[in-house]
Amino acid sequence: MKFRILVWLSMALPCLLSAQMVPKTKQQLTDSMMLGKAGSDSRRIDTVLVEGARPLEQQLLDRVRIRPGSNPVLLNGNTFAVLNAIPSIAVDELGNLSLQGKTGVLITINGKQTYLTGTSLISFLKSIPASSLESIDLMTIPPAKWSAEGAGGVIDIRIKKDVLKGLKGNVFLGASKGRLWKYNNGLSLQYGMKRWTLNSSFSVSRSSNYFDVYRKRELAYSENVHYVIGQLNKETNSTHELNGRLGMNYRIDKQSSVELSWNYLRNNYEEIGVYQNDFSADGTLKQSTASTSNLRNPLHRNSINLHYDFAGENKNKALQFDFDYLRYSSIRKQDLKTRTVPFFSDQQEQQQFLRSNNPFSVDLFGIRGDFQRKLSGSFSMEAGFQANRSQRQSYGHYQKGEKEYVLADDDSLENTFKQTEYLEAIYTDFQLKLAQWEIKLGVRAEYAQFQTKIDYTDRNANGRKQMFNLFPTLFGIYRIDKDQAVQVAYGRRISRPNYQDLNPSIFFFDPSTSYQGNAQLSAQLSDNMDLKYVHGQKWNIGLSLINHRNYISMVHQLSEQNYTQTYQNIAGVKSAAISMNMGKAIVKNLMLYGFGQIQYIHYKNIPTELNDLLINRGICSFQGNFMMQLNLPYQMTVNWTNSYRTNVLYAQTVIKPLYEMHLAVNKQFSNALSLALTARDLFHSRVLKREILGQGFNIYSKTVVDSRIIGLNFNYTFGLYKKQKIKQTSIEGEVSRL
C-alpha cells in the first residue's frame, strides 16, 4: 500500500505543476541531426533537443552521450550525483551499478579503468566535481577498440581538457546529513601558457553509513531436525579519503602534444559491527552467539600516465600512444570477538577471538596505441594494439584463541595467492556511409596468458593457462526519413574472474557467516544484441538480447550452522528486455526524461564435480525511472527524480520491489557561483528485502541503510583566462581489469 501511494504521488505532482503553467502556443523543436544539415555530424541522432538548449541525451552510432551541461542542477554537485540522475543508470552507495538493467558495468575516466570497486569507487566519483565533466558515454556494446571486458557495457566519464592561457580554478564544498554526517570538499587549478598547461586537483571527503540487517535462515538439517537461525546485525562504517592529481601538457606544435599525469588516492575504511545469532532446532532455542567486529582496511593507489597525441590536418588522421603504470595496495585487518551462550545444558559459556591480516597488492604496466584515418568522404578506419602485464598477490594470516592476549596461528585458514597475467590485443574498426545507411564493423583479437599459484602451488598442471578469443562488433543505422531511424548492434564480451572473485582468503562477518573467493572460476563469455527504433527527438524503443556462458555469479551455501557467500560459474543465463527512453518538453520550462524496461532473465545450471549448484529459474521484472527538470525565475532549477522496480532475480536471490524519490534545487547566482540543496530518498523507502532459495534452505533478510540524506553543495569558479584553439583527438583509451 505504501508503494502504491508513493507511485501515485510521483505521477500526480508533474501534472499539478504543469497545470499551473501556460503552455506555449507553438513549440519549436530543432530538427534532428539525421536531417544531414550542412556542417553537421551525420552519425548523431539527437533524442531530445529543445530550441536554445543542448540535449541531455544524444544517440550516437555506438553509444548514448549524456551532456550534464544541459541541466544546471547536475553541474552543481559531483559525478556520483550525476550518474544517479541519469534515468537508465542505477547506482547506490555500495557501488552496485547497472546500465539499462545490466550488471557487470565498467566505469572509466577518459577511457581508463579506475581499478576501484564498491565504496572506494563511489568515494572517487564523489571527488570529481560535475562542473569538470564534458560528457558521459553509455555503451551497452562498446566498439572493438575498447577492451572486451565488462558484460554489462561501459560508462565512460569524459573530463574537460581545456587549453587555456592564464589561471582557472574551481572550488567545491559539500556537506550532507542522514543519521550520520558526510562531506566532500575540493579544489582544482589550471594554469596555461603558450605551449604549457599545468593542472592539479585535490579533494578530501568523509562518507559514513550504517547497516541494520535482520536475517532468518531456515535449514532442513535432516529428516527430523529443522534448524532456524535468526540474525540481527548492526554495522557502522566511515571512510576518510584523500585524492590528488598533477598533470602537465606540452604542445609540441599545432598537431601534436604530450601529457604526463600522476594520480594518488588514499582511502581509510573503518567498520564496527555487532552481530547477534540465535540457533533453534524444531522450535527450541539451543544457543546464542554475540560477536563484535572491528575492521580496518586502508588502501593506496598511485598511477602514472604518459600520453602522446597527434592530429593531422583537418583531422583526416590521428595517432595516440599511452604508457601506464599503476600500484594498488590494501591491508584488511579484523578483530572478531565471539561469546557463545548455551541454553538448557550444562555447557559453560565460551569465548573465541579471531584476528586476521590480509595484505593485497597489484602492479600493472600497460602500453596502448591507436590510429584512425579518414580514407574518403564515406569511409574511415581505426586500428590499434594493447599490451598489459599485471601481478596480483595476497596473503591470508589468521590467529585464534580463547583469550585475546593468547592467540595461536590457525594453519587451516592460512593461504597465499599470486596471479600474473599477460594480455595482448589488436583491433580494427571500419566505418562506411552509404545513402541512408551507416555501418561500423570491427573485430578485436585478445590473447591472454596467466599463471595462478595458491599456497605456492600452480593451479594447473602446466602452471600456465592460455586463452585466445575473437570479439566481433557490428553497428548500423538506417534512416527511414528525417524523423525516424532503426539501429542495430551486436558484440561479444568477456568477463574474466578478478582478484575478489578468486581470492581464497576467508572473511568472517561472524563465526557462522563468511565470504570466500573461488579459485576454480572460468571466464564468462557474453553475446549481446540490441535493436532500436528512434523517433526523432522525442522517444526511442529497443529490444536487447543477451546470452551468457559460464556466467560468474555470487551464490549462497548453507550447511548446518555455517553460511558462506562465494562465486561460481552458471552454465547458461539468457535475458531479453524491451526498453523505452523518452524526453519531452511538456511546457516552456518543464522537461521530462524517462526510462522504462521490461526484462525476462533465466538461470540454468546442472551440478558438476567442481560446481554443485542446481538452478533452473527465471523471472520477469519491470523498472522505471523518470526525471523532471523545471526552470523557475531568478535562475533557479528543480530536478525531481523517481524510480521504481518490481522483483529482480540474481541467481538464487530475489530482491523485492523498491521505490525511491529524490529532489534537488539549484540557484545560479552567476556564471561562476551556484548553490544546490539536495534531498535523497525522501521517504526512506530504500529498504532492501531479499529472499534466497537454495538446496534445502531458505534465507530471508531485510537491510536498512543511511539513504535519506539532506545535502548542500557550493561551487565557485575563478580566474582570469581565455581558451586557446588547438587540434585534439578523442580516441578512447584502455578499459581493463583489476
Side-chain angles (χ1 to χ4, degrees), residues 216-229 556-563 612-615 617 652 692-700:
K216 180 182 179 182
R217 311 177 193 165
E218 296 181 350
L219 172 66
Y221 180 55
S222 64
E223 294 183 0
N224 301 318
V225 179
H226 181 72
Y227 256 113
V228 176
I229 305 174
H556 307 264
Q557 300 172 340
L558 188 59
S559 62
E560 299 186 6
Q561 299 179 0
N562 297 317
Y563 169 49
D612 61 354
L613 179 65
L614 174 62
I615 184 171
R617 62 187 304 197
Q652 302 162 298
I692 303 170
L693 303 179
Q695 300 175 49
F697 68 87
N698 298 332
I699 302 174
Y700 308 92

Side-chain angles (χ1 to χ4, degrees), residues 390-555:
S390 61
Q391 186 176 81
R392 313 168 184 90
Q393 53 187 351
S394 67
Y395 176 63
H397 180 61
Y398 300 85
Q399 292 180 310
K400 278 185 177 181
E402 296 183 359
K403 296 182 179 180
E404 189 171 5
Y405 52 86
V406 183
L407 300 179
D409 292 344
D410 189 335
D411 295 335
S412 64
L413 298 176
E414 296 277 326
N415 64 80
T416 61
F417 178 83
K418 184 176 181 180
Q419 185 182 67
T420 303
E421 179 180 10
Y422 299 88
L423 175 67
E424 295 90 27
I426 57 173
Y427 78 86
T428 183
D429 274 318
F430 298 94
Q431 190 165 326
L432 180 65
K433 300 177 183 178
L434 294 172
Q436 294 173 282
W437 278 97
E438 185 173 2
I439 300 173
K440 186 175 183 178
L441 295 171
V443 64
R444 183 181 182 90
E446 289 191 354
Y447 177 66
Q449 306 177 72
F450 57 90
Q451 181 181 17
T452 301
K453 290 187 176 183
I454 300 176
D455 297 331
Y456 307 103
T457 302
D458 291 339
R459 171 184 167 184
N460 304 311
N462 59 1
R464 181 175 292 275
K465 188 172 182 180
Q466 302 177 356
M467 295 177 60
F468 177 79
N469 289 287
L470 290 175
F471 301 98
T473 55
L474 166 66
F475 305 91
I477 290 181
Y478 176 74
R479 298 175 178 86
I480 302 172
D481 55 35
K482 67 176 184 179
D483 291 323
Q484 301 179 82
V486 176
Q487 289 183 273
V488 63
Y490 166 79
R492 181 170 294 168
R493 310 287 292 163
I494 190 171
S495 296
R496 300 182 183 90
N498 60 30
Y499 161 78
Q500 298 294 345
D501 303 338
L502 296 168
N503 181 21
S505 295
I506 302 175
F507 175 75
F508 290 92
F509 297 94
D510 61 57
S512 62
T513 309
S514 61
Y515 164 82
Q516 184 178 21
N518 178 7
Q520 303 300 321
L521 287 176
S522 300
Q524 166 189 322
L525 288 172
S526 306
D527 290 289
N528 301 261
M529 187 186 77
D530 289 341
L531 179 64
K532 183 183 294 185
Y533 169 76
V534 180
H535 186 83
Q537 312 152 56
K538 298 179 181 180
W539 58 275
N540 61 68
I541 185 169
L543 171 66
S544 175
L545 302 174
I546 305 179
N547 180 32
H548 302 287
R549 287 166 286 167
N550 289 327
Y551 183 82
I552 298 175
S553 174
M554 176 175 283
V555 298

Side-chain angles (χ1 to χ4, degrees), residues 42 135 206 212 263 303 318 338 494 552 587 597 638 725 727 736:
S42 60
S135 63
R206 179 185 187 273
D212 290 345
N263 288 271
S303 64
T338 302
I494 190 171
I552 298 175
V587 289
Q597 178 172 272
V638 177
K725 293 183 179 180
K727 292 179 183 287
S736 56

Side-chain angles (χ1 to χ4, degrees), residues 46-50 53-58 65-67 70:
D46 292 345
T47 56
V48 182
L49 181 56
V50 181
R54 299 178 72 188
L56 176 69
E57 188 173 292
Q58 295 176 323
R65 177 158 291 167
I66 305 296
R67 299 281 189 181
S70 64

